Amino acid sequence: MKHKKWAVLLMALALTCPLSVFAEKDGVAVPAAAAVSSNKISFTARSALRKTLDEMTEKPDVYQVPGLGVILYKDGREVYSHFSGSRYLDESTGKKLPVTRDTRFRIASVSKQFTVFTLMQLAEKGKLNLKDDVSKYLGFTLRNPAYPEVPITLEMLASHTSSIRNAGGYSALPQETLKEFFRPGGRYWEDGAHFAPYGQAPGEYFCYSDLNYGVLGTVIEVVTGKRFDRYQQKHILKELDTSASYVPANFSRKQREKLGAVYRRLNAQGKIDEKAPWKSTIDDYSHGAPKKETYFFDGKFHSMKGYKPGRNATFFSPQGGLRISCEELGHTLEMLMNDGRFRGRKILSPESVAEILRPHWKYDPAKKNGDTYFGTMLSYGLGEYQVYGNSTGRVCRDYEIDLVGHTGEAYGLLSGIFFRPGTKDGFVYVINGLPLELDEDPRTAGQFSGCYLWEERIMDAICKALWGRTGNN
């Protein structure tokens, strides 16, 4: 969650800023769709961006991160990439391995769009409909007790308007069923806290919830009869020319060597401490590879043997567990910017892409119809959200740049994939570690938006390189 210190200021700004569809080109406001740019970045802009990125990994201050990577696109072509710092480091021995364009990280909530891609493919095949009551697939009736007559649809789940909440957690063991979250007395019932209270009706109120995507992953298994990770691997990830996976045990030894760990500065008690050494929080396999048919949950590995698809896909982390590289995320960006096609291959129809990217929910200040994540989410599609360049969600300080895409944050990692509507300009980035406690430490708050400080630094620098006055030759 974004730092509460900024909540009042940012929401006040959100209420006074209209949701713009305009951008700036050569100092003049123009519709985003008309903001067509050269497919090159000037030497000045490249140098400025490189300086910012190198400082983030090399400058020894409290904000230093272990590693990062970025790739920039203009007019559908890659025009810049930069990778610095370490994907693996052991400060006790001095051993380090560099971040490269094919280093795979657990990419956090950027994963959500891949779950939606799978959902939309199934919709195109007539296997499901976004307006369907999810109860049709689950084998039990899923209703918010405060709204027992209102069906919860697949569209509501994908757009976070379902009234389902994370509460105490959103992952269950493979031998357990999804129903344990939603039945009174279930292991994960949490006194009904997985449901929103009265006043936050399904289909009307937005609240970001990872459990929505655990439900969607389970529906995908029910419809296909296949394990979530395997079905998506064949029908989405392979078609995008990636070897990405949700399960590290799925990787070959050679592929596993490309995995990058995620880090926090942790003291001997496991608490975040800016003066402590970097310690891995996930995907450090230097002391042994995960065994086949196992997955990592709650601090240890569990067996998946005997798992029956459709029982409970939450443990695959459909909301955030994909291990993928910047290079492979670039393939994803190409597909989105090309209306569902990737290098001559149809992944999704143009209509499906348009449905994913369009707002399915917008914040209404008069109705206060959602939790805006402290001003960063004022509009949400299906696994993607819209960034308005003159709002509290903006990622560029000096230019009104409208974007669509998604960020991710987990275990100390920050990630993002965005492009500018109406163009084929966009970027991907990943940062694999943070030294401070997000939200709890006021220094993590952004300076001009609701984003975290590191998100502001990397995306503001990228936006200036791509679309600033010095960005074009």
Side-chain angles (χ1 to χ4, degrees):
M1 296 297 293
K2 304 301 176 185
H3 198 278
K4 296 178 181 178
K5 171 184 175 183
W6 293 88
V8 175
L9 173 63
L10 294 174
M11 284 310 303
L13 181 57
L15 300 186
T16 59
C17 291
L19 300 183
S20 171
V21 292
F22 287 87
E24 184 174 297
K25 180 176 174 60
D26 299 329
V28 179
V30 296
V36 180
S37 55
S38 164
N39 62 1
K40 295 183 179 180
I41 298 178
S42 72
F43 175 79
T44 301
R46 294 166 68 92
S47 298
L49 177 54
R50 184 183 182 92
K51 181 176 183 293
T52 297
L53 298 176
D54 282 342
E55 284 182 349
M56 292 179 72
T57 57
E58 297 174 3
K59 188 176 180 180
D61 63 17
V62 70
Y63 297 106
Q64 186 181 28
V65 301
L68 60 79
V70 304
I71 301 179
L72 279 56
Y73 283 76
K74 270 200 167 189
D75 295 336
R77 295 176 56 190
E78 182 181 327
V79 293
Y80 181 84
S81 66
H82 185 76
F83 305 90
S84 60
S86 303
R87 73 176 186 267
Y88 171 82
L89 58 90
D90 185 334
E91 293 188 342
S92 63
T93 64
K95 182 179 179 181
K96 295 183 179 180
L97 295 173
V99 176
T100 63
R101 69 186 295 119
D102 59 359
T103 301
R104 294 190 183 96
F105 292 104
R106 188 186 190 278
I107 211 66
S109 288
V110 169
S111 307
K112 287 182 171 67
Q113 62 195 287
F114 294 89
T115 298
V116 169
F117 298 160
T118 311
L119 198 71
M120 298 305 290
Q121 271 195 352
L122 293 171
E124 289 179 18
K125 294 176 181 178
K127 302 291 185 180
L128 52 79
N129 189 296
L130 292 179
K131 303 295 184 182
D132 284 343
D133 181 345
V134 68
S135 304
K136 172 181 176 180
Y137 304 99
L138 297 180
F140 63 92
T141 300
L142 181 60
R143 292 284 189 276
N144 184 324
Y147 295 92
E149 303 304 318
V150 181
I152 293 174
T153 68
L154 298 176
E155 179 184 10
M156 292 176 190
L157 292 163
S159 62
H160 298 289
T161 59
S162 68
S163 81
I164 288 175
R165 303 289 182 261
N166 283 343
Y170 43 85
S171 292
L173 295 170
Q175 62 266 29
E176 297 167 335
T177 67
L178 187 69
K179 193 175 182 179
E180 293 298 298
F181 289 98
F182 305 117
R183 71 171 180 86
R187 180 168 179 177
Y188 304 103
W189 171 241
E190 300 287 343
D191 292 325
H194 289 296
F195 293 106
Y198 187 80
Q200 299 178 10
E204 298 179 11
Y205 191 93
F206 172 89
C207 185
Y208 194 83
S209 171
D210 294 294
L211 185 53
N212 284 317
Y213 278 71
V215 178
L216 289 175
T218 304
V219 169
I220 288 168
E221 289 192 337
V222 171
V223 170
T224 65
K226 305 293 184 183
R227 228 171 67 178
F228 171 81
D229 61 321
R230 291 174 175 168
Y231 185 85
Q232 191 181 110
Q233 175 74 42
K234 179 178 180 180
H235 295 273
I236 299 292
L237 300 172
K238 185 178 179 181
E239 292 299 299
L240 287 170
D241 289 347
T242 85
S243 295
S245 180
Y246 290 81
V247 181
N250 288 348
F251 289 121
S252 66
R253 180 187 61 80
K254 186 174 182 180
Q255 290 171 333
R256 197 163 48 249
E257 289 174 352
K258 296 181 179 180
L259 278 174
V262 180
Y263 292 89
R264 305 302 305 257
R265 288 200 180 276
L266 301 174
N267 60 26
Q269 291 73 44
K271 302 295 184 181
I272 293 175
D273 181 348
E274 63 198 68
K275 297 180 181 179
W278 291 110
K279 298 291 184 182
S280 60
T281 56
I282 201 163
D283 285 351
D284 177 356
Y285 302 111
S286 59
H287 301 294
K291 295 180 180 179
K292 287 188 176 182
E293 292 302 295
T294 64
Y295 80 105
F296 188 80
F297 173 71
D298 201 22
K300 59 184 178 181
F301 284 96
H302 298 266
S303 173
M304 291 187 291
K305 289 182 179 178
Y307 173 68
K308 183 179 179 181
R311 180 187 296 163
N312 155 41
T314 62
F315 69 93
F316 289 114
S317 296
Q319 83 289 341
L322 185 63
R323 277 75 171 178
I324 192 169
S325 69
C326 283
E327 165 73 26
E328 293 167 330
L329 280 178
H331 298 184
T332 309
L333 188 62
E334 287 185 43
M335 183 272 287
L336 288 170
M337 293 190 298
N338 285 285
D339 295 326
R341 300 191 71 84
F342 174 69
R343 300 178 185 178
R345 223 173 288 157
K346 176 182 172 287
I347 311 298
L348 294 170
S349 71
E351 293 77 16
S352 289
V353 173
E355 187 70 9
I356 289 169
L357 300 179
R358 77 169 180 86
H360 285 244
W361 166 87
K362 285 187 177 182
Y363 182 66
D364 184 336
K367 295 180 179 179
K368 295 185 174 149
N369 61 330
D371 179 350
T372 67
Y373 214 48
F374 296 101
T376 58
M377 290 185 179
L378 298 167
S379 175
Y380 202 94
L382 303 177
E384 312 277 3
Y385 66 92
Q386 297 74 33
V387 174
Y388 301 103
N390 62 354
S391 75
T392 52
R394 70 190 188 277
V395 298
C396 185
R397 184 195 295 268
D398 301 321
Y399 301 94
E400 290 188 6
I401 306 296
D402 294 343
L403 300 169
V404 63
H406 214 289
T407 51
E409 179 266 308
Y411 297 99
L413 175 138
L414 295 174
S415 60
I417 175 171
F418 287 97
F419 72 99
R420 198 172 186 182
T423 76
K424 294 183 180 180
D425 299 352
F427 59 88
V428 302
Y429 72 86
V430 62
I431 297 170
N432 73 319
L434 297 176
L436 303 177
E437 179 69 79
L438 296 177
D439 303 321
E440 298 300 321
D441 192 318
R443 293 172 295 177
T444 66
Q447 297 178 344
F448 61 84
S449 73
C451 300
Y452 293 123
L453 181 66
W454 296 272
E455 292 174 322
E456 279 191 350
R457 285 187 175 181
I458 198 166
M459 288 195 279
D460 182 52
I462 288 171
C463 287
K464 287 177 179 176
L466 279 172
W467 303 298
R469 291 188 181 90
T470 61
N472 297 331
N473 279 329

